[in-house]
Amino acid sequence: MDSSSKSNVNFSDFPSEISDKLETFDDCLGDVETLLNDLFTVPHNDIQDKLFLIDKAKLDLMAAYTINSLFWVYLNTRGENPKEHPVKQELERIRSYMARIKEIEDRQNAPKLNKAASKRFVKSALWKAAHKQADEAHKQSASPSNDITSENPKSTTKRKHSDIIGKDKRKKK
């Protein structure tokens, strides 16, 4: 059948509920035929040479799946049960390969860990944590009950109570 011409079948001879489905099926087969003719006009090697390995595998799987799916449809149109035919196992095998390719693509597209950057983040976090811990230890070593603010209101430095008393005693002598 030529891809540019409509089917010669007269669907009006069939009941209306079947004729609509048959027309849709015929249109879809025409579309598939057009796509396959476009694919077959270019030599397979020319297409393969322009593709990456993963795309080559996807193209081959698509071709194998298409051919086996069309054979499945052919078996259905002849009244045979394709579920009892070896084509079912072949389609399942092709689907498993498609799933493996999808896993490979997902791994390739997954975010990668930048080891150098992560080392810098960890080092910085540990450095900050160590200084924070040292500051807290320093604050805890200075007892809050012995700390008083100096008498100079502009000064924000803290001095120990014993330091102030010691200076006062020296002044009195």
Side-chain angles (χ1 to χ4, degrees), residues 15-42:
S16 63
E17 58 270 354
I18 294 175
S19 67
D20 293 339
K21 291 181 181 181
L22 287 174
E23 283 184 45
T24 304
F25 180 70
D26 188 49
D27 291 342
C28 290
L29 277 179
D31 293 343
V32 169
E33 186 178 10
T34 302
L35 290 171
L36 288 176
N37 283 337
D38 291 344
L39 184 64
F40 293 142
T41 57
V42 179

Side-chain angles (χ1 to χ4, degrees), residues 17-140:
E17 58 270 354
I18 294 175
S19 67
D20 293 339
K21 291 181 181 181
L22 287 174
E23 283 184 45
T24 304
F25 180 70
D26 188 49
D27 291 342
C28 290
L29 277 179
D31 293 343
V32 169
E33 186 178 10
T34 302
L35 290 171
L36 288 176
N37 283 337
D38 291 344
L39 184 64
F40 293 142
T41 57
V42 179
H44 189 68
N45 289 339
D46 291 348
I47 296 171
Q48 291 270 342
D49 290 342
K50 297 175 184 175
L51 298 175
F52 293 110
L53 287 176
I54 193 89
D55 294 327
K56 289 179 185 181
K58 287 166 65 174
L59 178 67
D60 290 340
L61 285 172
M62 182 270 315
Y65 194 82
T66 302
I67 291 168
N68 283 289
S69 296
L70 288 172
F71 189 69
W72 177 283
V73 171
Y74 171 73
L75 289 174
N76 268 329
T77 59
R78 295 199 53 212
E80 294 182 33
N81 187 359
K83 293 179 183 176
E84 297 172 359
H85 195 276
V87 73
K88 182 178 189 286
Q89 288 82 21
E90 184 65 16
L91 285 169
E92 289 173 0
R93 185 178 71 86
I94 294 169
R95 275 191 218 115
S96 71
Y97 290 140
M98 288 177 168
R100 287 174 61 187
I101 285 181
K102 183 169 177 11
E103 288 174 15
I104 291 169
E105 284 183 322
D106 289 346
R107 265 189 262 138
Q108 287 176 345
N109 296 334
K112 304 286 189 268
L113 177 65
N114 186 338
K115 291 180 183 179
S118 61
K119 284 181 182 179
R120 288 192 305 268
F121 284 134
V122 171
K123 190 175 182 179
S124 174
L126 291 175
W127 186 82
K128 288 178 183 177
H131 279 287
K132 183 178 179 183
Q133 195 174 28
D135 289 344
E136 288 175 2
H138 179 69
K139 287 179 183 177
Q140 287 178 353

